[in-house]
Amino acid sequence: MGIKLKTPEQIEGMRVAGRLAAEVLEMIGEHIVKGVTTEELDRICHEHIVKVQGGYPATLNYGGQPYPMELSEQGTPTHSFHPEGFPKSICTSVNDVVCHGIPNKKPLKNGDILNLDVTVIKNGFHGDTSKMFVVGEATNQAKKLIQVTQESLYLAIDMVKPGARLGDIGYALQKYVEKHGYSVVREYCGHGIGEVFHEEPQVTHYGRPGTGVELQAGMTFTIEPMVNFGKRNVKLNRKDGWTVNTKDRSLSAQWEHTLLCTKTGVEVLTKRQEEHF
Ligand code: MF3
Ligand code: CO
Ligand code: CO
């Protein structure tokens, strides 16, 4: 089929949705303190998205069907089944949770690290972004993992321009992570995004140079590396059908942006005020 390029009107819609998703992450930071529960964070984000932004949280009840972005070890889709759909409005992945953590009633404690992943739908368009937060004071080890993961996202973003290939971007990201002794999760990846939450292409955070989709101006997609302190292997929680942990229970970090490939390079549609691209 091939990847559809966004029209100028669609790009404008993506800018609006992206900005709103970024705003949720800007808004929630001050609430992430010792003792708060991830359920409370979910409630605050939900209210903000629905009441303040006039949007809708894309994750709520998402995927009561095969989840298309899940890959087998070999990189082919496995389509694991989530009959219920995701039950909350954001994902909160704490410590050794890699992704798709479900907000719950457990209070956060000093030293916890967590990824908060928000996807806002506004006027039919999706903005998808996530960021790491630290509760109180984290260990230097944890802080380093968070920083290297963010740097890996930034170096990948820097490579985005027409003609760049996804295999080259994934390769560079993976090399950077592994140079620091960490590992890249293979089972989940970035994705095309627009009026559909997850669409072509799959954006893996590993790759082979000189391979993969060639980017073109007008493509919108996410890059969202998940990086483990220990081994890359992950384990899906069979009870809730969603939560993904590191198999060795080591810490994991993730950062995500929604991007537009422009004629000259890249526009970060989910840029926060603290960031400069
Ligand atoms: N926001 C996630 C992503 O970056 C997807 C979450 S799907 C959910 O693609 F159902 F787990 F919420
Ligand atoms: Co995403
Ligand atoms: Co996301």
Side-chain angles (χ1 to χ4, degrees), residues 81-97:
F81 189 66
H82 303 292
E84 304 295 324
F86 192 79
K88 297 284 182 181
S89 299
I90 58 171
C91 297
T92 51
S93 300
V94 181
N95 295 333
D96 62 326
V97 177

Side-chain angles (χ1 to χ4, degrees), residues 66-135:
Y67 184 60
M69 287 300 131
E70 208 163 296
L71 305 179
S72 77
E73 297 277 293
Q74 290 75 36
T76 50
T78 55
H79 301 291
S80 80
F81 189 66
H82 303 292
E84 304 295 324
F86 192 79
K88 297 284 182 181
S89 299
I90 58 171
C91 297
T92 51
S93 300
V94 181
N95 295 333
D96 62 326
V97 177
V98 172
C99 64
H100 305 164
I102 302 172
N104 61 31
K105 291 183 158 47
K106 189 173 161 193
L108 292 172
K109 54 184 196 306
N110 186 53
D112 281 344
I113 64 168
L114 72 149
N115 174 275
L116 211 141
D117 193 340
V118 185
T119 310
V120 174
I121 309 177
K122 179 75 178 183
N123 301 324
F125 294 95
H126 293 73
D128 184 10
T129 185
S130 80
K131 155 174 183 172
M132 293 300 295
F133 294 91
V134 166
V135 182

Side-chain angles (χ1 to χ4, degrees), residues 138-183:
T139 63
N140 287 333
Q141 274 193 343
K143 284 193 273 195
K144 182 80 196 202
L145 173 70
I146 290 171
Q147 188 193 326
V148 168
T149 306
Q150 184 176 36
E151 287 164 357
S152 78
L153 170 61
Y154 285 171
L155 81 78
I157 289 174
D158 265 343
M159 293 175 72
V160 172
K161 62 174 182 200
R165 300 191 72 167
L166 289 181
D168 288 313
I169 294 175
Y171 178 79
L173 193 157
Q174 178 189 2
K175 282 291 148 206
Y176 185 77
V177 165
E178 291 176 355
K179 186 177 80 185
H180 288 89
Y182 306 136
S183 61

Side-chain angles (χ1 to χ4, degrees), residues 121-262:
I121 309 177
K122 179 75 178 183
N123 301 324
F125 294 95
H126 293 73
D128 184 10
T129 185
S130 80
K131 155 174 183 172
M132 293 300 295
F133 294 91
V134 166
V135 182
E137 191 58 33
T139 63
N140 287 333
Q141 274 193 343
K143 284 193 273 195
K144 182 80 196 202
L145 173 70
I146 290 171
Q147 188 193 326
V148 168
T149 306
Q150 184 176 36
E151 287 164 357
S152 78
L153 170 61
Y154 285 171
L155 81 78
I157 289 174
D158 265 343
M159 293 175 72
V160 172
K161 62 174 182 200
R165 300 191 72 167
L166 289 181
D168 288 313
I169 294 175
Y171 178 79
L173 193 157
Q174 178 189 2
K175 282 291 148 206
Y176 185 77
V177 165
E178 291 176 355
K179 186 177 80 185
H180 288 89
Y182 306 136
S183 61
V184 171
V185 170
R186 309 286 183 101
E187 287 83 352
Y188 303 89
C189 53
H191 49 90
I193 184 168
E195 278 143 297
V196 175
F197 190 174
H198 295 105
E199 63 184 20
E200 285 187 275
Q202 289 196 5
V203 182
T204 61
H205 306 107
Y206 58 91
R208 271 190 305 125
T211 68
V213 167
E214 237 183 64
L215 295 178
Q216 284 177 260
M219 288 182 184
T220 52
F221 57 92
T222 74
I223 303 181
E224 49 181 299
M226 282 142 274
V227 173
N228 296 348
F229 188 85
K231 292 206 166 64
R232 70 173 177 83
N233 309 73
V234 300
K235 204 162 128 283
L236 175 70
N237 182 324
R238 296 272 152 205
K239 283 208 200 104
D240 67 27
W242 285 102
T243 309
V244 178
N245 284 82
T246 56
K247 202 169 175 193
D248 63 11
R249 296 286 161 160
S250 67
L251 290 178
S252 188
Q254 180 179 27
W255 296 80
E256 174 176 25
H257 273 308
T258 298
L259 309 166
L260 166 70
C261 181
T262 66

